[in-house]
mmCIF file of all heavy atoms in Angstrom:
data_model
loop_
_atom_site.group_PDB
_atom_site.id
_atom_site.type_symbol
_atom_site.label_atom_id
_atom_site.label_comp_id
_atom_site.label_asym_id
_atom_site.label_seq_id
_atom_site.Cartn_x
_atom_site.Cartn_y
_atom_site.Cartn_z
ATOM 1 N N LEU A 96 6.247 -20.772 -1.010
ATOM 2 C CA LEU A 96 6.606 -21.538 0.246
ATOM 3 C C LEU A 96 6.984 -22.908 -0.272
ATOM 4 O O LEU A 96 7.947 -23.468 0.266
ATOM 5 C CB LEU A 96 5.696 -21.518 1.315
ATOM 6 C CG LEU A 96 5.416 -20.152 1.870
ATOM 7 C CD1 LEU A 96 4.654 -20.371 3.160
ATOM 8 C CD2 LEU A 96 6.603 -19.293 2.097
ATOM 9 N N PRO A 97 6.243 -23.646 -1.150
ATOM 10 C CA PRO A 97 6.678 -24.936 -1.583
ATOM 11 C C PRO A 97 8.035 -25.135 -2.156
ATOM 12 O O PRO A 97 8.792 -26.043 -1.978
ATOM 13 C CB PRO A 97 5.600 -25.415 -2.459
ATOM 14 C CG PRO A 97 4.420 -24.597 -2.100
ATOM 15 C CD PRO A 97 4.948 -23.239 -1.700
ATOM 16 N N LEU A 98 8.505 -24.041 -2.757
ATOM 17 C CA LEU A 98 9.715 -23.918 -3.469
ATOM 18 C C LEU A 98 10.864 -23.274 -2.540
ATOM 19 O O LEU A 98 11.978 -23.351 -2.829
ATOM 20 C CB LEU A 98 9.552 -23.226 -4.750
ATOM 21 C CG LEU A 98 8.727 -23.794 -5.756
ATOM 22 C CD1 LEU A 98 8.577 -22.940 -7.001
ATOM 23 C CD2 LEU A 98 9.209 -25.246 -6.173
ATOM 24 N N GLN A 99 10.403 -22.436 -1.610
ATOM 25 C CA GLN A 99 11.338 -21.800 -0.691
ATOM 26 C C GLN A 99 10.781 -22.010 0.749
ATOM 27 O O GLN A 99 10.344 -21.260 1.409
ATOM 28 C CB GLN A 99 11.377 -20.202 -0.953
ATOM 29 C CG GLN A 99 12.353 -19.834 -2.091
ATOM 30 C CD GLN A 99 12.579 -18.426 -2.105
ATOM 31 O OE1 GLN A 99 11.901 -17.637 -2.723
ATOM 32 N NE2 GLN A 99 13.644 -18.051 -1.438
ATOM 33 N N PRO A 100 11.198 -23.276 1.228
ATOM 34 C CA PRO A 100 10.662 -23.687 2.546
ATOM 35 C C PRO A 100 11.317 -22.943 3.604
ATOM 36 O O PRO A 100 10.868 -23.042 4.862
ATOM 37 C CB PRO A 100 11.006 -25.253 2.667
ATOM 38 C CG PRO A 100 12.000 -25.429 1.658
ATOM 39 C CD PRO A 100 11.770 -24.415 0.635
ATOM 40 N N ASP A 101 12.287 -22.160 3.527
ATOM 41 C CA ASP A 101 13.044 -21.513 4.474
ATOM 42 C C ASP A 101 12.285 -20.126 4.805
ATOM 43 O O ASP A 101 12.637 -19.422 5.728
ATOM 44 C CB ASP A 101 14.453 -21.252 4.149
ATOM 45 C CG ASP A 101 14.724 -20.643 2.818
ATOM 46 O OD1 ASP A 101 13.733 -20.741 2.002
ATOM 47 O OD2 ASP A 101 15.729 -20.049 2.450
ATOM 48 N N LEU A 102 11.269 -19.808 3.927
ATOM 49 C CA LEU A 102 10.457 -18.725 4.300
ATOM 50 C C LEU A 102 9.258 -19.046 5.163
ATOM 51 O O LEU A 102 8.802 -20.196 5.064
ATOM 52 C CB LEU A 102 9.963 -18.050 2.957
ATOM 53 C CG LEU A 102 10.997 -17.498 1.969
ATOM 54 C CD1 LEU A 102 10.336 -16.934 0.716
ATOM 55 C CD2 LEU A 102 11.745 -16.257 2.627
ATOM 56 N N ARG A 103 8.841 -18.053 5.906
ATOM 57 C CA ARG A 103 7.734 -18.411 6.786
ATOM 58 C C ARG A 103 6.712 -17.207 6.905
ATOM 59 O O ARG A 103 7.245 -16.042 7.177
ATOM 60 C CB ARG A 103 8.081 -18.765 8.222
ATOM 61 C CG ARG A 103 6.981 -19.096 9.251
ATOM 62 C CD ARG A 103 7.589 -19.330 10.645
ATOM 63 N NE ARG A 103 6.463 -19.883 11.406
ATOM 64 C CZ ARG A 103 5.585 -19.157 12.090
ATOM 65 N NH1 ARG A 103 5.551 -17.822 12.031
ATOM 66 N NH2 ARG A 103 4.604 -19.715 12.874
ATOM 67 N N ILE A 104 5.488 -17.361 6.690
ATOM 68 C CA ILE A 104 4.487 -16.260 6.832
ATOM 69 C C ILE A 104 4.433 -15.943 8.354
ATOM 70 O O ILE A 104 4.048 -16.802 9.202
ATOM 71 C CB ILE A 104 3.146 -16.701 6.203
ATOM 72 C CG1 ILE A 104 3.280 -16.785 4.702
ATOM 73 C CG2 ILE A 104 2.051 -15.587 6.465
ATOM 74 C CD1 ILE A 104 2.011 -17.309 3.991
ATOM 75 N N CYS A 105 4.524 -14.688 8.674
ATOM 76 C CA CYS A 105 4.491 -14.183 10.073
ATOM 77 C C CYS A 105 3.472 -13.121 10.290
ATOM 78 O O CYS A 105 3.930 -12.004 10.602
ATOM 79 C CB CYS A 105 5.821 -13.877 10.612
ATOM 80 S SG CYS A 105 7.056 -15.298 10.682
ATOM 81 N N ASP A 106 2.338 -13.335 9.937
ATOM 82 C CA ASP A 106 1.280 -12.239 9.906
ATOM 83 C C ASP A 106 0.860 -11.798 11.323
ATOM 84 O O ASP A 106 0.216 -10.729 11.537
ATOM 85 C CB ASP A 106 0.006 -12.599 9.198
ATOM 86 C CG ASP A 106 -0.630 -13.988 9.736
ATOM 87 O OD1 ASP A 106 -0.034 -14.652 10.453
ATOM 88 O OD2 ASP A 106 -1.739 -14.146 9.212
ATOM 89 N N LYS A 107 1.240 -12.639 12.335
ATOM 90 C CA LYS A 107 1.007 -12.083 13.777
ATOM 91 C C LYS A 107 2.077 -11.245 14.275
ATOM 92 O O LYS A 107 2.049 -10.826 15.473
ATOM 93 C CB LYS A 107 0.742 -13.380 14.627
ATOM 94 C CG LYS A 107 -0.420 -14.218 14.222
ATOM 95 C CD LYS A 107 -1.666 -13.536 14.382
ATOM 96 C CE LYS A 107 -2.895 -14.392 14.311
ATOM 97 N NZ LYS A 107 -2.944 -15.555 13.576
ATOM 98 N N PHE A 108 3.157 -11.153 13.639
ATOM 99 C CA PHE A 108 4.424 -10.185 14.164
ATOM 100 C C PHE A 108 4.131 -8.856 13.520
ATOM 101 O O PHE A 108 3.438 -8.580 12.540
ATOM 102 C CB PHE A 108 5.652 -10.875 13.559
ATOM 103 C CG PHE A 108 5.980 -12.091 14.217
ATOM 104 C CD1 PHE A 108 5.442 -13.341 14.053
ATOM 105 C CD2 PHE A 108 7.209 -12.026 15.176
ATOM 106 C CE1 PHE A 108 5.850 -14.491 14.811
ATOM 107 C CE2 PHE A 108 7.618 -13.279 15.797
ATOM 108 C CZ PHE A 108 6.941 -14.427 15.571
ATOM 109 N N SER A 109 4.635 -8.014 14.252
ATOM 110 C CA SER A 109 4.583 -6.498 13.864
ATOM 111 C C SER A 109 5.278 -6.226 12.646
ATOM 112 O O SER A 109 4.877 -5.442 11.763
ATOM 113 C CB SER A 109 5.132 -5.571 15.068
ATOM 114 O OG SER A 109 4.460 -5.759 16.137
ATOM 115 N N GLU A 110 6.504 -6.895 12.367
ATOM 116 C CA GLU A 110 7.356 -6.760 11.261
ATOM 117 C C GLU A 110 7.896 -8.083 10.750
ATOM 118 O O GLU A 110 8.001 -8.980 11.509
ATOM 119 C CB GLU A 110 8.522 -5.766 11.582
ATOM 120 C CG GLU A 110 7.929 -4.267 11.988
ATOM 121 C CD GLU A 110 9.043 -3.407 12.431
ATOM 122 O OE1 GLU A 110 10.325 -4.020 12.741
ATOM 123 O OE2 GLU A 110 8.881 -2.263 12.544
ATOM 124 N N SER A 111 8.361 -8.062 9.519
ATOM 125 C CA SER A 111 8.986 -9.251 9.031
ATOM 126 C C SER A 111 10.271 -8.876 8.117
ATOM 127 O O SER A 111 10.470 -7.654 7.858
ATOM 128 C CB SER A 111 8.128 -9.992 8.038
ATOM 129 O OG SER A 111 7.035 -10.587 8.886
ATOM 130 N N ALA A 112 11.001 -9.874 7.814
ATOM 131 C CA ALA A 112 12.179 -9.694 7.105
ATOM 132 C C ALA A 112 11.814 -9.141 5.682
ATOM 133 O O ALA A 112 12.448 -8.298 5.077
ATOM 134 C CB ALA A 112 12.998 -10.985 6.999
ATOM 135 N N TYR A 113 10.745 -9.762 5.173
ATOM 136 C CA TYR A 113 10.079 -9.434 3.844
ATOM 137 C C TYR A 113 8.747 -8.980 4.043
ATOM 138 O O TYR A 113 8.032 -9.545 4.845
ATOM 139 C CB TYR A 113 10.145 -10.643 2.896
ATOM 140 C CG TYR A 113 11.515 -11.220 2.665
ATOM 141 C CD1 TYR A 113 11.972 -12.227 3.407
ATOM 142 C CD2 TYR A 113 12.424 -10.611 1.739
ATOM 143 C CE1 TYR A 113 13.195 -12.800 3.222
ATOM 144 C CE2 TYR A 113 13.715 -11.168 1.674
ATOM 145 C CZ TYR A 113 14.033 -12.263 2.305
ATOM 146 O OH TYR A 113 15.378 -12.880 2.147
ATOM 147 N N GLU A 114 8.414 -7.873 3.453
ATOM 148 C CA GLU A 114 7.068 -7.272 3.655
ATOM 149 C C GLU A 114 6.559 -6.904 2.266
ATOM 150 O O GLU A 114 7.102 -6.142 1.544
ATOM 151 C CB GLU A 114 7.126 -6.136 4.548
ATOM 152 C CG GLU A 114 7.621 -6.369 6.021
ATOM 153 C CD GLU A 114 7.733 -5.266 6.920
ATOM 154 O OE1 GLU A 114 7.655 -4.089 6.428
ATOM 155 O OE2 GLU A 114 8.016 -5.473 8.028
ATOM 156 N N ILE A 115 5.284 -7.208 1.946
ATOM 157 C CA ILE A 115 4.576 -6.843 0.812
ATOM 158 C C ILE A 115 3.616 -5.721 1.230
ATOM 159 O O ILE A 115 2.605 -5.986 1.930
ATOM 160 C CB ILE A 115 3.754 -7.947 0.045
ATOM 161 C CG1 ILE A 115 4.805 -8.951 -0.427
ATOM 162 C CG2 ILE A 115 3.071 -7.413 -1.153
ATOM 163 C CD1 ILE A 115 4.205 -10.094 -1.015
ATOM 164 N N ARG A 116 3.984 -4.446 0.995
ATOM 165 C CA ARG A 116 3.308 -3.318 1.558
ATOM 166 C C ARG A 116 2.661 -2.424 0.511
ATOM 167 O O ARG A 116 3.203 -2.440 -0.683
ATOM 168 C CB ARG A 116 4.280 -2.465 2.347
ATOM 169 C CG ARG A 116 4.666 -3.012 3.733
ATOM 170 C CD ARG A 116 5.360 -2.038 4.549
ATOM 171 N NE ARG A 116 5.601 -2.506 5.922
ATOM 172 C CZ ARG A 116 4.767 -2.342 6.867
ATOM 173 N NH1 ARG A 116 3.594 -1.723 6.726
ATOM 174 N NH2 ARG A 116 4.977 -2.834 8.063
ATOM 175 N N PRO A 117 1.652 -1.596 0.769
ATOM 176 C CA PRO A 117 1.206 -0.608 -0.134
ATOM 177 C C PRO A 117 2.149 0.486 -0.195
ATOM 178 O O PRO A 117 2.839 0.737 0.828
ATOM 179 C CB PRO A 117 -0.158 -0.187 0.459
ATOM 180 C CG PRO A 117 0.006 -0.489 1.857
ATOM 181 C CD PRO A 117 0.951 -1.709 2.085
#
Side-chain angles (χ1 to χ4, degrees):
L96 299 190
L98 300 176
Q99 278 194 271
D101 51 343
L102 295 176
R103 183 184 190 275
I104 294 174
C105 291
D106 57 349
K107 297 297 194 326
F108 286 71
S109 302
E110 299 171 345
S111 289
Y113 303 97
E114 298 173 353
I115 299 178
R116 285 191 173 272

